[in-house]
Amino acid sequence: MKQVGRELGVRYVLEGSVRKAGGRVRITAQLIDAQNGTHLWADRFDGSLEDVFELQDKVAVSVAGVIEPTLQMAEMRRSAARPTTDLSAYDLYLRALAALFPVTKEGVIEALGLLDQAIAIDRHYAPALSWAAHCHLRLLVEGWTEKPEASRRKASDLARQALRVAENDPTILANAAQVLARFGEDIGAMIGLVDRALALNPSYARGWFVSGLLRVWAGQPGLGIEHVETSLRLSPRERIGSTLFVIGMAYSFKHQFDEAASNPDYARGLAGVAQAVDRA
């Protein structure tokens, strides 16, 4: 595998095989770090020869959905192992993502500091701009900032900057849509941004999560649940956001309180809605 990586000039290799037995077919796929032989991901897909095209579509969507987050996590680990004196904007960006999830006050502050450094190196680095906007949003909604209006203004400004630099990047579109929708931008227009992100990459799990969240905010809880569940199906291990919280919130909006209370994380969504009503 090391030789294959050298010949192709790549660090990561996706390989697979197809086996047939009677009227059944099995497709296996695995993602490998060609430099050290580490298996990053593997899966198998079974189906009948009669439904081979449906199986082919399933494999394509599943593999595309898992490759991006898996490679990103591998690059995060590789970046974290580098000396801190050798940091490019991309390394700082990867370290920030590693610090950001699961969301804690300390993690968000650390991530924002790293993203600020990346932006100082390259002020047009759109992914860093969009995640910095997200960090300011988290500080505000969690009550972790002493200057809420400044955080609100900074989040909106960073999101708009990111859109101006890279308006056709799915990550930037989804992050900017979430931030700007939270701060009162037209929800239909923001849903349009996420729809564009998913048109560019239909296997983008976080895009489906943000789409689900915005649909719930727009009063479409059923569609919101469907889209969040799509994000979980595409990449159940990717750290994309509080998926179960959003599903619980959607169930509460549908007045299906038994479903909302059936899972502790769903129940948190229900409690979040109740707290918002109390504050109003």
Side-chain angles (χ1 to χ4, degrees):
M1 190 55 64
K2 290 183 178 179
Q3 182 177 349
V4 171
R6 285 195 298 269
E7 291 177 355
L8 295 177
V10 297
R11 181 179 182 91
Y12 303 102
V13 175
L14 178 68
E15 67 169 7
S17 63
V18 179
R19 297 169 60 191
K20 185 178 73 169
R24 303 287 294 175
V25 62
R26 169 171 292 177
I27 300 174
T28 62
Q30 54 186 352
L31 186 64
I32 301 172
D33 186 328
Q35 292 197 2
N36 56 32
T38 301
H39 283 67
L40 303 176
W41 168 82
D43 205 348
R44 72 184 189 192
F45 307 88
D46 296 316
S48 68
L49 286 175
E50 293 180 356
D51 301 322
V52 66
F53 295 116
E54 181 180 342
L55 178 62
Q56 183 181 26
D57 290 342
K58 177 183 177 183
V59 172
V61 170
S62 298
V63 171
V66 80
I67 282 180
E68 181 180 7
T70 302
L71 290 182
Q72 191 172 75
M73 287 300 298
E75 287 293 288
M76 286 179 193
R77 290 191 292 269
R78 194 162 70 93
S79 177
R82 292 185 179 183
T84 55
T85 55
D86 180 25
L87 294 179
S88 66
Y90 182 59
D91 288 320
L92 289 161
Y93 167 74
L94 291 176
R95 289 180 183 233
L97 292 187
L100 188 53
F101 294 104
V103 174
T104 64
K105 180 179 180 180
E106 294 74 17
V108 173
I109 291 173
E110 178 185 354
L112 185 56
L114 292 165
L115 292 167
D116 284 344
Q117 292 180 58
I119 294 167
I121 294 172
D122 181 357
R123 63 189 180 91
H124 298 301
Y125 194 4
L129 290 166
S130 74
W131 279 111
H134 179 84
C135 286
H136 281 288
L137 170 64
R138 297 311 315 175
L139 291 174
L140 180 64
V141 299
E142 300 292 347
W144 293 335
T145 176
E146 296 179 356
K147 300 178 179 179
E149 189 54 41
S151 292
R152 180 191 300 270
R153 186 168 54 253
K154 190 69 173 176
S156 296
D157 289 347
L158 287 165
R160 295 182 194 282
Q161 288 178 46
L163 283 176
R164 285 195 294 269
V165 174
E167 62 180 14
N168 286 319
D169 182 297
T171 298
I172 280 77
L173 290 168
N175 281 347
Q178 181 180 358
V179 170
L180 296 174
R182 179 63 176 77
F183 295 141
E185 286 291 325
D186 180 75
I187 191 69
M190 296 305 100
I191 287 174
L193 289 181
V194 181
D195 287 347
R196 180 143 55 100
L198 294 174
L200 290 165
N201 182 1
S203 298
Y204 181 34
R206 177 169 164 76
W208 284 105
F209 165 74
V210 174
S211 180
L213 176 62
L214 266 59
R215 302 287 179 175
V216 173
W217 288 350
Q220 304 169 16
L223 193 56
I225 292 172
E226 179 183 326
H227 286 195
V228 173
E229 288 179 341
T230 297
S231 77
L232 286 170
R233 185 170 62 254
L234 280 170
S235 193
R237 292 178 294 179
E238 185 184 358
R239 303 178 300 173
I240 56 179
S242 304
T243 51
L244 300 184
F245 176 91
V246 174
I247 291 174
M249 183 168 59
Y251 275 130
S252 73
F253 287 158
K254 294 181 72 178
H255 301 286
Q256 295 178 353
F257 302 113
D258 289 341
E259 289 86 344
S262 66
N263 180 297
D265 290 294
Y266 289 5
R268 287 180 57 243
L270 180 60
V273 173
Q275 290 170 10
V277 171
D278 288 342
R279 285 195 296 268

